[in-house]
Amino acid sequence: MTGAPGESPALVDRLRAEILAAGGAIPFARYMDLALYEPGLGYYERAARVVGRGGDFATSVSVGPMFGELLARWILDGAVSRSTELSAGPVELVEAGAHDGRLAEDILDAIGRLGGADVARFSYRIVEPSPVRQAWQAARLARFGDRIRWSPSMPGRQPGGPGVRGVILSNELLDAFPVERWRWSADRRRWVEQGVTWRQDRFEWVCLPTAPPPGWALPQELEAVLPEGFVRERSPAAVDWWANAARGLEAGCLLAIDYGLDAEEFLVPHRAEGTLRAYRRHRVSGDLLDSPGEVDLTAHVDFTAIARAGEREGLTTWGCPSQSRFLLGVLESTQRVPGGFPEWTPARVRAFQTLTHPEHFGRSFRVLVQGRGPTPWDLR
Ligand SMILES: C[S@@+](CC[C@H](N)C(=O)[O-])C[C@H]1O[C@@H](n2cnc3c(N)ncnc32)[C@H](O)[C@@H]1O
């Protein structure tokens, strides 16, 4: 497959310059990083409206405020009030991948409505490396004043020093980190990293001589039957981000909602081309290298690798249920409290169905929660 340059000439020039400087090819992860995040040029730098009905893809956040409302419910009832560490004192909510700030707005509004006397305990921080996206968020969230703050990266923490006491959360962040792409060569019996070059006015795939990372080999009996060209992605950037967030957590939990799989679920015949996809106007583009800067690039999250990273940092996995199971559990808990859930209007019924239906966000999306200490809420 090859990729046409598309409609972002400045980004194409930037990618070509990087390829030239690197001697003719760059790893796909670097291509993806530039295509999505190059300041002023990358896909996520261009416009806030790439998410939602009029954009390139929908998320649970763009379905409407109900998603933030149910998350706020879980934060109040599950993560905070039942926790021995967080049941009193300040609670910080830290969101990454906030994009245009809509989820922050929905969560803060819901906490304002549902939190009672506890509201004053909550503050919100958005971790946002991009000044452009921070400006979109600040415009949307101005009415919350100093209850909301920003950091360019996860707040650092010295060993034994204070960290986040609260919930570090994200929706569709982990799938947006750059991934390495590795292709199985049955002849050579080895994994070959895929890079990107520029040839005849197009981006093209090339094989790189990189040695496969430690632990990347599969059991010998599996490699013996793996078909030529089987592709797997790997995202050290997502794993490092999670490990760093885990180190920053003093009390409470890390919660990530995303589409993804357990490690062994990647190794099935219908995923032989990997899970990396390019999206434009709600459709999958056939060519991953077509139109950099104009398409979203994303791959399924390896929940096994992410969960292991958190456990290495001393966190306990509280659960990784489907979004449907998670939200139904939250809904059930609201039914036990009189007035715990606003009335079902037709629009709210539709939103809940979209968030939980197996063919929408219900099954392929999962909610990974890891915390310091035992789970205060049954997430199995
Ligand atoms: C798929 S969008 C999801 C947006 C929003 N959370 C939603 O669900 O509608 C991914 C977002 O994560 C952001 N992102 C990627 N890497 C990030 C990082 N290291 N820190 C903070 N945000 C990041 C992207 O810029 C983009 O806005």
Side-chain angles (χ1 to χ4, degrees):
M1 272 194 303
T2 59
E7 301 134 30
S8 299
L11 180 62
V12 171
D13 288 348
R14 174 76 188 83
L15 284 160
R16 287 180 60 190
E18 180 104 359
I19 288 171
L20 195 66
I26 52 174
F28 176 76
R30 179 63 183 150
Y31 172 93
M32 183 168 169
D33 193 18
L34 291 168
L36 295 183
Y37 303 114
E38 178 64 1
L41 300 174
Y43 177 79
Y44 279 119
E45 291 274 309
R46 280 189 312 122
R49 59 175 166 68
V50 294
V51 184
R53 198 174 293 164
D56 292 319
F57 60 94
T59 67
S60 295
V61 178
S62 64
V63 168
M66 185 183 269
F67 184 65
E69 176 188 322
L70 289 169
L71 278 180
R73 252 292 163 219
W74 185 81
I75 289 166
L76 289 165
D77 297 348
V80 173
S81 67
R82 298 181 197 199
S83 151
T84 43
E85 295 267 18
L86 301 180
S87 56
V91 177
E92 190 173 25
L93 306 181
V94 180
E95 185 190 354
H99 197 65
D100 62 358
R102 180 152 185 193
L103 181 59
E105 180 176 42
D106 294 342
I107 290 178
L108 282 167
D109 274 342
I111 286 182
R113 280 196 314 276
L114 306 167
D118 270 352
V119 170
R121 294 172 57 205
F122 285 88
S123 65
Y124 207 99
R125 182 202 299 263
I126 294 182
V127 175
E128 181 52 79
S130 156
V132 172
R133 293 193 298 272
Q134 188 176 317
W136 301 338
Q137 294 153 10
R140 182 186 278 269
L141 299 166
R143 69 188 163 95
F144 294 104
D146 61 8
R147 286 181 62 204
I148 185 152
R149 284 173 298 162
W150 279 264
S151 303
S153 57
M154 217 47 220
R157 185 184 177 198
Q158 301 304 316
V164 173
R165 297 180 65 82
V167 181
I168 300 175
L169 64 114
S170 63
N171 186 61
E172 294 206 38
L173 166 73
L174 298 175
D175 71 75
F177 277 100
V179 292
E180 298 172 359
R181 196 164 188 259
W182 292 84
R183 197 169 179 278
W184 177 245
S185 165
D187 288 351
R188 292 154 69 194
R189 290 293 293 265
R190 68 178 291 252
W191 291 97
V192 180
E193 186 174 14
Q194 300 291 284
V196 180
T197 189
W198 174 263
R199 208 176 282 147
Q200 295 177 338
D201 293 338
R202 303 177 78 77
F203 292 107
E204 281 191 13
W205 293 105
V206 284
C207 296
L208 300 178
T210 338
W216 192 237
L218 295 172
Q220 274 189 1
E221 50 295 2
L222 188 52
E223 291 193 339
V225 294
L226 211 57
E228 172 69 27
F230 195 98
V231 171
R232 290 156 80 202
E233 297 94 11
R234 179 176 175 269
S235 184
V239 169
D240 288 352
W241 188 91
W242 190 264
N244 185 43
R247 278 192 292 278
L249 184 74
E250 185 184 332
C253 64
L254 247 69
L255 177 151
I257 303 159
D258 225 311
Y259 42 90
L261 302 166
D262 290 334
E264 70 275 6
E265 292 178 288
F266 286 91
L267 303 172
V268 291
H270 69 271
R271 296 209 172 90
E273 307 229 330
T275 66
L276 185 66
R277 298 286 179 270
Y279 282 94
R280 189 179 209 175
R281 299 198 188 99
H282 298 267
R283 283 172 188 252
V284 176
S285 159
D287 187 339
L288 291 166
L289 302 182
D290 190 18
S291 306
E294 306 290 323
V295 292
D296 183 30
L297 293 166
T298 169
H300 277 47
V301 174
D302 178 346
F303 280 117
T304 306
I306 299 287
R308 275 190 196 135
E311 285 165 5
R312 276 197 298 272
E313 299 299 334
L315 299 189
T316 305
T317 300
W318 289 1
C320 193
S322 66
Q323 175 161 308
S324 168
R325 283 252 306 276
F326 178 81
L327 294 182
L328 282 164
V330 179
L331 180 68
E332 211 180 279
S333 81
T334 67
Q335 314 282 290
R336 289 188 221 118
V337 193
F341 192 72
E343 239 176 83
W344 282 110
T345 61
R348 285 172 66 79
V349 171
R350 269 198 309 279
F352 192 75
Q353 283 171 344
T354 308
L355 294 173
T356 54
H357 194 284
E359 282 174 18
H360 292 285
F361 292 97
R363 189 167 46 206
S364 49
F365 280 73
R366 292 169 66 182
V367 185
L368 172 63
V369 192
Q370 293 192 310
R372 292 245 169 256
T375 180
W377 175 293
D378 186 4
L379 280 165
R380 280 165 303 154

